[in-house]
Amino acid sequence: DAKTTQPPSMDCAEGRAANLPCNHSTISGNEYVYWYRQIHSQGPQYIIHGLKNNETNEMASLIITEDRKSSTLILPHATLRDTAVYYCIVRVAAQGAQKLVFGQGTRLTINP
Amino acid sequence: EAGVTQFPSHSVIEKGQTVTLRCDPISGHDNLYWYRRVMGKEIKFLLHFVKESKQDESGMPNNRFLAERTGGTYSTLKVQPAELEDSGVYFCASSQDQRTGFRDTQYFGPGTRLTVL
């Protein structure tokens, strides 16, 4: 079972920042938070991941609360192409424990 | 750099037939994973190879599914005989190695859509 909770759907206006929340209240100290997205019927696309510090890359920013029980993925300037299902995944970073457990994700719709 | 590729993109077969899906991981990636999404359900893990060895096959649904990765390069997933409930999208992913950080990030292929009639 997925160890995260996400809202089933969200809307955001084009050009605005999209903030996608994720709860992972049972996260352990050796577990990372990963974000993937799936655009239409394509394969899941890696976005970003982090352990406890905030992270930023060319796609998004990841803000993890100090207690690590929740996080927020931020798409700073959403475009129509960002419409997708976004998955927040908690994953143990240890040899042998490599699989990703997908939940239902958040269906993000970017509106013009 | 080429990403993960999968073949075929679509396959339509009749119940009882055999189908073989192929996955070519990113060059140099030791880890290869298979996942699938059946209609209306979440993406589920099937199995994980480290080079040519099966590291974790806990997600394989039954013995009608056989995965191989001879030589530690590409992998095949054979379904024999196919049943109606096997319909879905089969994804392959690869990661560089098992050290934490970016090296174990999984990158997915476009998937193979399998329809069993």
Side-chain angles (χ1 to χ4, degrees):
Chain A
D1 292 336
K3 300 171 66 174
T4 63
T5 304
Q6 299 177 253
S9 63
M10 292 182 64
D11 286 86
C12 179
E14 186 178 19
R16 304 295 295 270
N19 297 278
L20 291 91
C22 179
N23 286 320
H24 30 81
S25 58
T26 61
I27 193 170
S28 300
N30 64 344
E31 290 181 315
Y32 283 69
V33 179
Y34 278 76
W35 283 84
Y36 281 78
R37 71 182 181 183
Q38 189 174 22
I39 297 173
H40 194 43
S41 57
Q42 300 176 20
Q45 178 188 24
Y46 166 77
I47 301 174
I48 198 167
H49 76 280
L51 184 62
K52 55 183 178 181
N53 296 322
N54 297 337
E55 302 288 344
T56 295
N57 63 21
E58 65 279 3
M59 289 182 68
S61 294
L62 174 60
I63 308 298
I64 303 174
T65 58
E66 193 169 339
D67 63 7
R68 301 186 68 239
K69 293 186 177 181
S70 66
S71 60
T72 300
L73 177 75
I74 301 172
L75 308 178
H77 304 289
T79 71
L80 299 179
R81 289 177 294 179
D82 292 322
T83 292
V85 178
Y86 286 77
Y87 298 97
C88 171
I89 299 169
V90 166
R91 175 168 169 250
V92 174
Q95 191 163 356
Q98 298 294 313
K99 65 184 178 184
L100 296 174
V101 179
F102 288 83
Q104 298 281 6
T106 295
R107 182 172 297 278
L108 176 66
T109 301
I110 306 301
N111 300 306
Chain B
E1 178 181 303
V4 177
T5 58
Q6 294 186 244
F7 181 84
S9 57
H10 294 84
S11 180
V12 180
I13 61 173
E14 293 188 352
K15 176 182 173 181
Q17 290 186 323
T18 297
V19 64
T20 300
L21 313 181
R22 172 169 170 147
C23 168
D24 286 77
I26 294 171
S27 178
H29 280 197
D30 288 343
N31 296 278
L32 187 149
Y33 315 79
W34 285 97
Y35 294 82
R36 76 171 180 177
R37 163 179 267 155
V38 295
M39 184 65 71
K41 299 291 183 64
E42 297 152 6
I43 298 171
K44 295 286 190 183
F45 167 81
L46 295 179
L47 90 161
H48 168 210
F49 283 99
V50 178
K51 297 184 180 177
E52 67 275 8
S53 300
K54 292 176 184 175
Q55 177 83 5
D56 180 358
E57 50 185 329
S58 61
M60 294 289 265
N62 52 60
N63 60 9
R64 294 186 294 103
F65 289 75
L66 175 64
E68 295 180 321
R69 192 183 183 196
T70 306
T73 54
Y74 71 91
S75 173
T76 58
L77 179 64
K78 179 188 289 188
V79 185
Q80 179 182 29
E83 298 289 345
L84 299 178
E85 63 264 26
D86 300 332
S87 295
V89 183
Y90 290 75
F91 295 106
C92 176
S94 72
S95 67
Q96 189 167 356
D97 59 44
Q98 297 193 82
R99 284 173 284 179
T100 58
F102 292 99
R103 290 182 179 272
D104 67 348
T105 297
Q106 296 182 29
Y107 297 93
F108 283 76
T112 293
R113 182 173 296 278
L114 174 65
T115 302
V116 183
L117 302 175

